[in-house]
Amino acid sequence: MMDIVLLACMFGLSASIAAALYRIFHRESTVADRVLLLDSLSFILIGIVAILSIWLDTTAFFESIVLIGILAFASTIALSRFIERGVVIVRDRDRR
């Protein structure tokens, strides 16, 4: 029974990845939409890895879940700053 539930969750997450990828490559989506969708894709990937970890009954994937979360957070901040300012890192000589 648990395998069926995990398989259904994997199917649902896979369908949400397909929907997000369609929306990313859709012509009418803005840059901000694409940044949010990439952030959503990373958290969907975290969900898939977590379900895989439960399915295989191991804790070996927990470090990768944390790493994906940290990279997703950092990339969202970097892309948001790039959209807002045009640069990711502001140096003193760039301000003058």
Side-chain angles (χ1 to χ4, degrees), residues 43-54:
F43 289 114
I44 293 169
L45 183 64
I46 287 173
I48 288 175
V49 172
I51 290 172
L52 188 65
S53 176
I54 293 169

Side-chain angles (χ1 to χ4, degrees), residues 23-59:
R23 184 70 178 138
I24 285 175
F25 295 119
H26 196 257
R27 291 180 186 232
E28 296 175 1
S29 62
T30 63
V31 178
D33 289 338
R34 291 179 182 166
V35 169
L36 289 175
L37 284 169
L38 286 174
D39 192 39
S40 298
L41 278 175
S42 63
F43 289 114
I44 293 169
L45 183 64
I46 287 173
I48 288 175
V49 172
I51 290 172
L52 188 65
S53 176
I54 293 169
W55 198 359
L56 296 177
D57 195 27
T58 182
T59 60

